[in-house]
């Protein structure tokens, strides 16, 4: 990844900027840990559009355009109320060089190399089930388009 000037996103001078690699090719976002007087994470969708199968599916089925990273703020706030899995709070939003960027709080921890241990898997499953146990009468993007549940199977096909 080429160096991205993120200084306009931060009020204080950037001391360190490190790309966070998810460990696989083809990921759709630039994600960087940035240190100023604070440590935060800056994220922006980097692909040209939603033509990739996964991102196209998100868009066509749910109306979610991953390039609209500013839409993450209400979603993160909602997810924080549904589970004990911590979801970062959005600190700032901006457009740089035509791309939406969000700056979210940095959550300390370490990257899991594998899901090992029955307790960890059980707890993770409980939290995912809690999030997915919510009942809605429609589906789609939490911040954009919504459709009636009776259209879901037709749209999937």
């Amino acid at each position: 990844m080429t160096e991205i000037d993120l200084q306009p996103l931060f009020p204080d001078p950037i001391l360190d900027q490190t790309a966070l690699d998810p460990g696989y090719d083809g990921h759709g976002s630039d994600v960087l840990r940035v240190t100023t007087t604070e440590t935060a994470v800056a994220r922006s969708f980097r692909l040209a559009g939603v033509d990739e199968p996964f991102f196209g599916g998100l868009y066509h089925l749910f109306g979610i355009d991953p390039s609209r990273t500013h839409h993450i703020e209400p979603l993160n706030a909602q997810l924080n109320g549904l589970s004990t899995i911590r979801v970062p709070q959005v600190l700032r939003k901006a457009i740089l060089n035509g791309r939406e960027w969000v700056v979210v709080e940095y959550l300390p921890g370490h990257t899991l190399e594998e899901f090992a241990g029955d307790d960890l898997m059980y707890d993770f499953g409980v939290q995912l089930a809690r999030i997915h146990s919510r009942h809605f009468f429609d589906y789609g993007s939490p911040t954009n388009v919504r459709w009636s549940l009776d259209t879901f199977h037709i749209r999937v096909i």
Side-chain angles (χ1 to χ4, degrees), residues 10 31-32 34 38-43 69 72-73 76 87-93 101-107:
F10 294 88
V31 181
L32 300 101
V34 179
E38 67 180 334
T39 298
V41 173
R43 178 184 172 273
T69 57
I72 197 172
E73 187 169 18
N76 282 17
V87 179
Q89 178 183 354
V90 174
L91 303 173
R92 290 181 288 288
K93 302 179 283 190
W101 284 84
V102 291
V103 176
V104 299
E105 64 181 325
Y106 176 74
L107 301 179

Side-chain angles (χ1 to χ4, degrees), residues 28-157:
S29 294
D30 287 322
V31 181
L32 300 101
R33 183 180 56 238
V34 179
T35 303
T36 63
T37 56
E38 67 180 334
T39 298
V41 173
R43 178 184 172 273
S44 179
F45 190 68
R46 67 181 173 139
L47 301 179
V50 293
D51 296 331
E52 302 283 329
F54 176 77
F55 298 111
L58 278 178
Y59 181 71
H60 293 293
L61 185 57
F62 297 108
I64 296 173
D65 181 347
S67 68
R68 305 296 308 269
T69 57
H70 290 180
H71 287 178
I72 197 172
E73 187 169 18
L75 178 59
N76 282 17
Q78 183 181 41
L79 287 172
N80 259 322
L82 298 176
S83 168
T84 60
I85 296 174
R86 183 102 186 276
V87 179
Q89 178 183 354
V90 174
L91 303 173
R92 290 181 288 288
K93 302 179 283 190
I95 296 176
L96 296 178
N97 299 323
R99 291 170 58 188
E100 289 187 7
W101 284 84
V102 291
V103 176
V104 299
E105 64 181 325
Y106 176 74
L107 301 179
H110 64 280
T111 302
L112 292 177
E113 299 298 326
E114 61 183 56
F115 281 113
D118 291 341
D119 290 342
L120 178 65
M121 290 303 293
Y122 178 80
D123 290 343
F124 184 62
V126 166
Q127 294 307 316
L128 286 179
R130 181 173 291 148
I131 291 169
H132 288 93
S133 69
R134 295 284 309 254
H135 295 280
F136 298 93
F137 296 103
D138 56 7
Y139 71 99
S141 167
T143 58
N144 194 7
V145 180
R146 307 290 297 173
W147 293 279
S148 171
L149 285 178
D150 62 357
T151 67
F152 181 77
H153 293 96
I154 294 166
R155 291 181 57 83
V156 166
I157 293 168

